[in-house]
Each structure stands twice: as C-alpha cells, then as structure tokens.
Amino acid sequence: MPVHIVADTSNRLSDLRVMLERHPAVTSELLSGASIRCGEFDTVVVAADLQVVDNIATLKEMFGKLTHIRKRIFIIDRKTRLCTVQAYALGATRVLVNPVSQSRLLAELADRSHPETTLNKVLPSTREAAAAGAAAMASMFSDALTGNPIDVGSAKGTAGKIADRIAEDGLCDWLETVRHHHEGTYQHCLLVTGIAVDFGLSLGLAKADIERLYSAAMFHDIGKAKIPLAVLDKPGRLDARERALIETHPLAGYDVLKGNPAICPEILDAVRHHHEYLDGSGYPDALCAGSISDLVRILTISDIFAALIERRPYRPTMPRDRAYEIIRNMEGKLERPLVAAFRAVALNR
Ligand SMILES: [Fe+2]
Ligand SMILES: [Fe+2]
C-alpha cells in the first residue's frame, strides 16, 4: 500500500520518514511545494499546523483533487476542537494527535477493518457524497462552536445528495463507506442520515417529508459541538457527571438552531426531542407518546440503530441483526409498528 507523506516543516517530514522507514513504499514532500499526482498511492499522511492559513489553503486545494484517496490520516499537535474540525473539513478520514508513536501510525496504515474487496465495489459517487457530508458536518460543528450562524442551505443540499445516493445505490454501500472512512460524531450523523433516508423511502414517505427527515438527521446532534471531546470520545463507561453532560446536547442543539430562519419548527422539534421515548423515560423533556411527532419517532429509531452499528476503536462492530434485536426489545419506548417496518431497513436493504 503506497503511502505519501506531506508535512509543513522539514523536521516533521523527516520524523515521519524515520517512523515509516520500514514501510515498503513511501514518498514524501513539503506542503509548500506539494505536487501530488493522482493514482500513485492510496494513503496520504499529513502533518501540519492547521492554524496556519496558508497550510489550510494548500491542503484544501490538494484534497479537492484527491477525493479518490482511501485513507487520509492527519496528525495534529493538540486535541483542540477547532483543529480536529479543520482536519475533517479538509478531508481527513482519521485524525491522530501528537505524540503519535510509530506503532500507532503503522497500525493505522495497516488497518483493514473492512475488506478492501468490498470497498472497491463502492461507487466513487458514494465516497464523494460521504466526504461532502463529513465536510458539511465539520463546517456546521465549527460554526456551532464559534457562534456563527449555521449554513443550513448548504447542509441541506449535501444531505439531499446523500439521499440521492441511498435512493440509487441502497443503504449497504453507504454504511460500509461511512464506517470505513469516517469516525466519531461525523460518522454517527452520516449513518443516521443515510438510515433515516432509507427508512423514509421504505415507508413510502412523501418527498417533502423525506427532506425534513434527512435535514433533521443531519442536524440532530449539532449540540454535541458543545460537549468536550474528552467526554464525547471517551472509550469506557461514562460516569454520572459525564452522562449528564452528554444529555445536554439536544437542548444545546435546539439553542444553536432556534433563531435560524432556515430551520422549520419540525426540524427544531426533532433536534430537541430525538432522545425522548414513548413511555416518558427519555430526555430532555420526558415527553410521552402523544407529544412525540412521527418525524421524531422515525429519527429516534434511526439514531439508536446507527449508534449500535457504528465503528468505534477498541470494540468490534455490532452486526445489523444483533442491533435490530436490541431495538425490538426496547418495549414501550419505540412505536411498535415502526420498529416492525424498520426490520427491512435493518436487515435487508
Ligand atoms: Fe443525540
Ligand atoms: Fe445521535
């Protein structure tokens, strides 16, 4: 697997070359003179200061031409939200934070958690829609974090392209692509969007309802921009304080979006209430069945399923049939006929 290294300083470049000296096919160049040619490698490792405007501009131009590259590993100096968001916005498929050990980097390069033969069958248009979706997520999260208005039109446009891909290529390719190329909250939101679209299509919803559904899915966890990454990405069990912090995200998302004229009340309601259950045991408002809309009921099932099947470090990915069984056993919390209808999406589509 040929690897190309790009770094913004000669020190970073030589450190990475030393780390990868035993890797069979490595090329490298400085970011300032980068002249990457397409088709010569399938992995790029980038080590650069993402707070430097020139670096961002060069990387943006570079990755605009490299959407076919399967693995784009960015190494950043500090785990700040903005640097992480910036890396994903530029097209990263994995972000590592310094100090990165040789073994960690080699493990990332060798990671083939999804068989390449399967991925090779995935259409480039699916990969491009996923990359555009991740970039839209990164931009939304960055705006939510800095207090800028969210570009709702752009996010909806990207979600519409995802919906086109699901309608044409089906859900399987989408799940494979997103789980392989993206991680964390972006992976989750992209999975929810694809699953919600497929669920809406299988239910025969009208076009306008599907548009509301995929928009709600894109925005549903925007409030997580306000949660520290140390809590959001914590690999082990959350303690009570951390759990309480995570549970602030629906209200935080509602607050981020509520003044935005491009957001309709149904989407705002879905962002606030996607963790409510029919039996009143959800949060933040402990709503009961009569107060939970159909859109929210569909989104909640899609959200739970996505959370169960997403790829996470340190644990194997849950098979779709096992995830569906868990949903089916959530007695009283989810609408039974909808859960029954979801079976086809979960297992077959
Ligand atoms: Fe959520
Ligand atoms: Fe979610």
Side-chain angles (χ1 to χ4, degrees), residues 267-332:
I267 294 175
L268 210 48
D269 176 61
V271 170
R272 180 169 177 139
H273 292 133
H274 67 277
H275 286 285
E276 302 286 0
Y277 291 134
L278 303 187
D279 62 4
S281 63
Y283 61 90
D285 297 319
L287 296 184
C288 284
S291 310
I292 301 176
S293 72
D294 289 345
L295 179 78
V296 171
R297 294 174 193 217
I298 295 169
L299 180 63
T300 300
I301 293 172
S302 308
D303 183 37
I304 297 168
F305 187 70
L308 290 169
I309 64 161
E310 69 193 38
R311 181 180 55 80
R312 293 188 191 164
Y314 320 115
R315 86 153 205 218
T317 303
M318 184 181 289
R320 287 165 69 175
D321 55 352
R322 168 90 187 101
Y324 181 67
E325 267 315 293
I326 291 174
I327 286 178
R328 214 171 59 83
N329 289 328
M330 290 177 69
E331 280 293 316

Side-chain angles (χ1 to χ4, degrees), residues 188 192 220-221 224 274-275 303:
H188 170 72
V192 177
H220 82 284
D221 273 342
K224 285 185 178 170
H274 67 277
H275 286 285
D303 183 37

Side-chain angles (χ1 to χ4, degrees), residues 16 66 130 135 197 203 216 265 269-270 297:
L16 281 168
L66 296 176
V197 165
L203 292 169
D269 176 61
R297 294 174 193 217

Side-chain angles (χ1 to χ4, degrees), residues 11-275:
N11 280 350
R12 287 190 216 263
L13 202 63
S14 58
D15 287 351
L16 281 168
R17 283 216 67 113
V18 169
M19 270 200 214
L20 298 181
E21 64 186 351
R22 290 201 190 136
H23 201 275
V26 177
T27 52
S28 65
E29 64 187 333
L30 276 171
L31 182 60
S32 55
S35 59
I36 288 186
R37 288 181 296 278
C38 297
E40 294 174 7
F41 40 81
D42 58 7
T43 299
V44 176
V45 177
V46 174
D49 185 342
L50 297 186
Q51 290 175 317
V52 174
V53 177
D54 286 350
N55 288 350
I56 294 170
T58 309
L59 286 165
K60 201 170 189 174
E61 192 185 340
M62 195 171 99
F63 281 102
K65 299 173 196 155
L66 296 176
T67 51
H68 66 289
I69 302 286
R70 269 192 339 113
K71 202 175 276 190
R72 300 182 288 268
I73 300 170
F74 278 53
I75 299 175
I76 58 176
D77 286 333
R78 282 173 296 130
K79 189 166 187 170
T80 66
R81 194 104 202 195
L82 281 175
C83 281
T84 310
V85 160
Q86 186 64 263
Y88 282 115
L90 288 166
T93 56
R94 189 79 84 236
V95 178
L96 305 178
V97 182
N98 270 323
V100 176
S101 68
Q102 184 182 38
S103 56
R104 175 75 203 279
L105 185 55
L106 289 173
E108 286 295 342
L109 293 176
D111 176 20
R112 291 177 187 271
S113 49
H114 293 256
E116 208 164 331
T117 48
T118 307
L119 280 167
N120 280 346
K121 290 182 196 151
V122 171
L123 297 166
S125 51
T126 300
R127 284 208 296 266
E128 280 167 24
M137 291 289 171
S139 166
M140 275 166 26
F141 272 67
S142 172
D143 287 339
L145 192 65
T146 52
N148 290 326
I150 307 289
D151 186 351
V152 173
S154 161
K156 280 186 182 174
T158 307
K161 292 198 176 80
I162 293 172
D164 292 345
R165 295 275 51 84
I166 302 287
E168 268 182 47
D169 306 332
L171 186 60
C172 275
D173 277 3
W174 182 253
L175 299 183
E176 285 295 322
T177 305
V178 171
R179 286 192 292 192
H180 188 80
H181 287 291
H182 303 283
E183 62 184 356
T185 306
Y186 304 154
Q187 178 198 175
H188 170 72
C189 293
L190 292 173
L191 290 177
V192 177
T193 303
I195 292 163
V197 165
D198 203 47
F199 196 7
L201 290 170
S202 79
L203 292 169
L205 296 187
K207 190 164 176 273
D209 288 330
I210 290 189
E211 283 174 8
R212 269 192 284 274
L213 186 55
Y214 66 59
S215 301
M218 281 289 277
F219 296 121
H220 82 284
D221 273 342
I222 184 86
K224 285 185 178 170
K226 307 281 189 183
I227 312 286
L229 286 176
V231 175
L232 208 53
D233 295 341
K234 185 177 172 182
R237 253 185 194 287
L238 300 175
D239 64 29
R241 190 192 59 84
E242 292 164 339
R243 170 62 44 203
L245 194 56
I246 290 270
E247 291 186 0
T248 61
H249 80 269
L251 262 183
Y254 176 86
D255 286 340
V256 164
L257 294 172
K258 71 181 174 193
N260 196 315
I263 292 283
C264 68
E266 292 91 340
I267 294 175
L268 210 48
D269 176 61
V271 170
R272 180 169 177 139
H273 292 133
H274 67 277
H275 286 285

